[in-house]
Amino acid sequence: MTTTVGLEPISGPSAWRGDELSKSTEWIYVLSDAERAELEDLGRRFVADDPDLRTVTAADYPFDACRALNDECAGQMDAGRGFVLVRGLRTEEYGDAVAAAIFFVMGLHLGQPIGQNQRGDLLDHVIATSNKTMADEGALPSRVRDRLPFHSDSSDVVALMCLRGAKEGGASSLVSGTTIYNEMLRLRPDLAPRLFDTYHWDWRRQDPDSPELTYTSPIISYVDGVFSTYAGSSMIFSAQEYPGVPQLTPDQAAAIALFDEISQEPGLPIDMDFQPGDVQWLLNYAALHSRTSYTDHPEPERRRHLLRLWLKRDVGRPLAPQFGKHVVEMGEPTTPPVPGGRFHIADAVTVNDDWGV
């Protein structure tokens, strides 16, 4: 394994700009009739079988017509632009349980679903369950309507399925980590190397039961010619509040601030307005994600509602030592799960309104 600090622009399919990519539809995979029919059949069978989400495998629900779909999603995440949007499911026709089952089966073929909260839920929800904002203590980003900063999640892959969109706003925004780095090289080549420094990240605010207050990771990994990003400046800055955490140097603070500033530069991100049935697959190491703020419909049942999967996807991607949220074996909680986890699809697809309020 060769780790290098790249001071030359990184090229390749992961170095995209949103204003260029949005002129095409190459990032949208539209299901064929055969692919949609197979997914719908598998989803209905999954609901009827009612397997335990913790033990069911892809082999239990094999693909035939959807092999090319699976290959495209895997290829784009592993060695392409880092994401793909799958369109064409008719979720409004067959309801949330079958839609969730289809989503889960697709996930099984792309990786291992892992727990997303203290209860160990493998299928989680992105939905505003109160009127809290991110300024409120204890607010979860997935349960508010605020605009979110660009960040990486605690998994190899993060996937979203849209069940219902917002009344207004709520676009999913992605930005290439490679392009951000290339822009930093162009604007401030003196600051770009600071992204390879090791930083303390706020573990306690991510996991209230974490055994330590912080863990450490660089923001950028460049190993064997493979470029990866792990970002979330708020977790670096909040970790500064803990005793014993080394304070950022002026150059480090400036580099992190510039990274965030570039991520929001007009033309770099791509925004996509989710339609019901849309499924977005994203490799966390290739692109950062956020969303725009949104307004919900007044009826509770019409709230913007996305399903979310976190996947472990072990394809041997070379990463810098102790990169990302390496402090836990992916998918294994730091403490035993608290009661209340939902591990059957009919339960899991129902919003846990008591979470994050």
Side-chain angles (χ1 to χ4, degrees), residues 241-276:
E241 302 169 9
Y242 296 131
V245 172
Q247 293 302 290
L248 300 173
T249 68
D251 276 358
Q252 288 175 330
I256 296 169
L258 181 57
F259 187 94
D260 279 357
E261 182 181 328
I262 292 172
S263 73
Q264 302 170 57
E265 184 180 297
L268 261 62
I270 185 170
D271 291 347
M272 53 193 78
D273 289 314
F274 282 151
Q275 301 175 12

Side-chain angles (χ1 to χ4, degrees), residues 1-323:
M1 182 174 73
T2 303
T3 302
T4 56
V5 175
L7 292 177
E8 297 293 331
I10 309 297
S11 59
S14 68
W16 49 264
R17 289 179 58 96
D19 53 4
E20 296 171 353
L21 202 56
S22 60
K23 295 175 183 175
S24 75
T25 57
E26 64 182 74
W27 48 278
I28 302 176
Y29 187 106
V30 180
L31 295 172
S32 68
D33 290 345
E35 289 169 334
R36 180 172 55 244
E38 179 172 88
L39 289 172
E40 291 171 354
D41 287 346
L42 288 173
R44 292 187 179 97
R45 181 159 70 85
F46 194 98
V47 171
D49 293 346
D50 193 27
D52 189 316
L53 301 183
R54 296 167 292 188
T55 56
V56 66
T57 68
D60 297 324
Y61 297 89
F63 279 165
D64 182 16
C66 290
R67 289 176 185 170
L69 162 67
N70 199 67
D71 289 346
E72 174 68 8
C73 293
Q76 287 298 340
M77 287 194 293
D78 296 341
R81 74 183 74 89
F83 76 94
V84 62
L85 183 75
V86 179
R87 178 163 286 169
L89 291 170
R90 300 174 293 199
T91 55
E92 293 164 308
E93 293 184 12
Y94 36 76
D96 291 356
V98 171
I102 292 171
F103 185 41
F104 202 85
V105 168
M106 294 173 75
L108 290 173
H109 283 270
L110 288 168
Q112 174 191 337
I114 63 175
Q116 299 184 55
N117 54 39
Q118 292 160 284
R119 297 172 178 175
D121 289 326
L122 301 174
L123 185 70
D124 208 352
H125 303 262
V126 180
I127 186 171
T129 50
S130 72
N131 289 320
K132 278 187 176 181
T133 71
M134 286 304 294
D136 295 316
E137 183 69 26
L140 292 178
S142 61
R143 299 302 175 97
V144 300
R145 301 180 181 90
D146 297 12
R147 179 196 171 278
L148 298 180
F150 282 104
H151 62 282
S152 308
D153 277 3
S154 303
S155 57
D156 294 330
V157 173
V158 57
L160 298 170
M161 168 182 264
C162 177
L163 295 179
R164 283 166 286 282
K167 179 181 180 182
E168 185 177 346
S172 173
S173 299
L174 306 180
V175 65
S176 161
T178 310
T179 301
I180 296 173
Y181 179 73
N182 287 344
E183 279 292 289
M184 283 199 70
L185 280 178
R186 183 179 68 84
L187 295 171
R188 290 293 303 272
D190 58 315
L191 291 181
R194 298 284 66 77
L195 300 177
F196 294 86
D197 292 347
T198 296
Y199 294 93
H200 281 258
W201 300 69
D202 193 332
W203 191 1
R204 184 58 50 84
R205 281 184 174 86
Q206 295 181 50
D207 301 321
D209 298 323
S210 63
E212 304 289 343
L213 294 174
T214 69
Y215 59 94
T216 58
S217 173
I219 297 171
I220 293 298
S221 165
Y222 191 40
V223 179
D224 295 344
V226 177
F227 186 88
S228 302
T229 313
Y230 180 70
S233 62
S234 64
M235 291 297 101
I236 295 177
F237 286 127
S238 63
Q240 293 284 290
E241 302 169 9
Y242 296 131
V245 172
Q247 293 302 290
L248 300 173
T249 68
D251 276 358
Q252 288 175 330
I256 296 169
L258 181 57
F259 187 94
D260 279 357
E261 182 181 328
I262 292 172
S263 73
Q264 302 170 57
E265 184 180 297
L268 261 62
I270 185 170
D271 291 347
M272 53 193 78
D273 289 314
F274 282 151
Q275 301 175 12
D278 282 356
V279 178
Q280 180 192 83
W281 300 99
L282 171 67
L283 186 76
N284 272 305
Y285 307 122
L288 317 181
H289 63 282
S290 72
R291 66 148 188 271
T292 62
S293 61
Y294 66 93
T295 302
D296 263 329
H297 291 279
E299 303 89 347
E301 68 275 10
R302 296 180 66 195
R303 289 178 295 179
R304 180 183 187 267
H305 187 181
L306 310 181
L307 301 178
R308 185 177 69 188
L309 284 174
W310 280 354
L311 303 180
K312 177 181 180 181
R313 180 169 173 78
D314 187 4
V315 295
R317 185 182 187 89
L319 296 169
Q322 296 189 316
F323 186 75

